Amino acid sequence: MRTLVFVIALYTLALGAVWAQEPARSPIDEQIIKQQKIFNSRGADVPEGYITGRSLASYLQLLPGFCGSLGGLGSSDRWLDIGAGAGQAILDYYATEDNSAGKMCSGPRGRARAVALSIEDRRTDKWHRLAASFGDGRMQYFAGRRLRQFSSEELGKFQVITDVFGGFSYTDDLSGFVERTLRLLDAGGAFYTLMQGVHLQDGKDNPNTSYLTELVDGAGGDVKVCSWLKRIACVEVTCESKSNWQAPTELIQVKKVCGDVSVPPIKLLKYEAGDPPGRRFQTEQ
Ligand SMILES: C[S@@+](CC[C@H](N)C(=O)[O-])C[C@H]1O[C@@H](n2cnc3c(N)ncnc32)[C@H](O)[C@@H]1O
């Protein structure tokens, strides 16, 4: 009996030593774990603002110029939707009813192949049925990984890339995310996205706004997200500022004009889990 008590005491001491050695998590790591719980939430646990089923019609309202770009694609071209949620926009693109957004955005050269990325798998039975009915991998859905966990060879090249409240709004590595996205784009192709709760390019946002994503320079001065994007080599950036929306929002189009994209690095200062998260980044200049 005495030996047993001794062994238990030794074991408890050893465990204590192991726990004591475990490094404490940083506040940012804690928030990233919290964010992962939002991604993985299901049913009643999904926060109200975490919307994963936007239609193609909603994408068209949020991404000026995107419908025209889709219409210019042919059947061997490719559209990537980063942070696709349930992939509803892609399902709508393949819909064949005369009045559908899919038909409206399809050109004479047919419909492109579409690839959806989502950290969590939100596909429905309808998705699986429709994807199977199109056959031949026209619609692909990758779940379980972030954009940064794919190699460029695995994903291939795209002529159009979209991100509606996806990785661009959720990533903790904004410069890496933008660089990877633009490298997946063919020269001549376009990336359509938006950012909510930001300092607007036209300067018309209400200064009392509680901003979601903030960029500051080394001296703590505000840097507008579009000004930062315009520093990227080999792209043309167009921004449409929405100061009268509930939160000031920038609708963004980034056109790749040559191959050698280089995105200025940016450092994460703060990350607060949410839908979307609150983030603060520091630019180099
Ligand atoms: C709020 S939902 C938006 C879904 C869809 N775009 C919509 O508007 O309905 C966020 C999506 O972005 C995905 N996401 C966030 N960060 C990502 C990243 N770094 N790489 C790939 N997907 C990401 C999530 O997994 C989820 O699918």
Side-chain angles (χ1 to χ4, degrees), residues 72-212:
L73 301 184
S75 56
S76 55
D77 290 324
R78 303 175 80 221
W79 162 31
L80 173 66
D81 189 23
I82 307 177
Q88 185 59 43
I90 289 181
L91 286 184
D92 293 346
Y93 174 56
Y94 287 102
T96 47
E97 297 88 49
D98 278 347
N99 58 353
S100 71
K103 196 127 194 200
M104 198 174 89
C105 300
S106 302
R109 296 169 52 230
R111 269 172 238 206
R113 292 171 180 269
V115 177
L117 299 190
S118 176
I119 295 173
E120 76 280 19
D121 192 343
R122 295 209 181 259
R123 279 173 293 182
T124 56
D125 291 346
K126 186 176 158 202
W127 165 279
H128 287 288
R129 269 200 314 278
L130 277 173
S133 75
F134 285 111
D136 166 26
R138 294 208 71 75
M139 295 154 64
Q140 279 181 295
Y141 186 106
F142 293 108
R145 281 182 282 170
R146 287 166 163 68
L147 177 67
R148 61 176 163 236
Q149 294 169 297
F150 291 87
S151 67
S152 353
E153 293 72 38
E154 192 175 2
L155 288 174
K157 287 276 187 186
F158 297 87
Q159 288 67 45
V160 171
I161 302 182
T162 49
D163 181 310
V164 173
F165 296 110
F168 190 64
S169 297
Y170 282 83
T171 185
D172 51 48
D173 172 19
L174 193 57
S175 41
F177 180 87
V178 173
E179 179 138 343
R180 276 183 281 277
T181 301
L182 295 176
R183 288 198 184 283
L184 291 171
L185 203 57
D186 256 348
F191 171 46
Y192 295 92
T193 191
L194 73 154
M195 206 176 264
Q196 191 186 52
V198 289
H199 291 279
L200 295 178
Q201 198 63 14
D202 71 2
K204 291 191 179 155
D205 41 305
N206 180 343
N208 297 324
T209 302
S210 69
Y211 293 98
L212 267 179

Side-chain angles (χ1 to χ4, degrees), residues 253-282:
Q253 183 191 144
V254 182
K255 195 168 173 217
K256 184 165 167 182
V257 293
C258 50
D260 230 354
V261 170
S262 150
V263 178
I266 199 167
K267 193 168 101 188
L268 179 70
L269 299 180
K270 183 198 93 175
Y271 191 94
E272 239 168 55
D275 47 80
R279 301 173 298 175
R280 192 174 168 86
F281 297 98
Q282 189 182 63

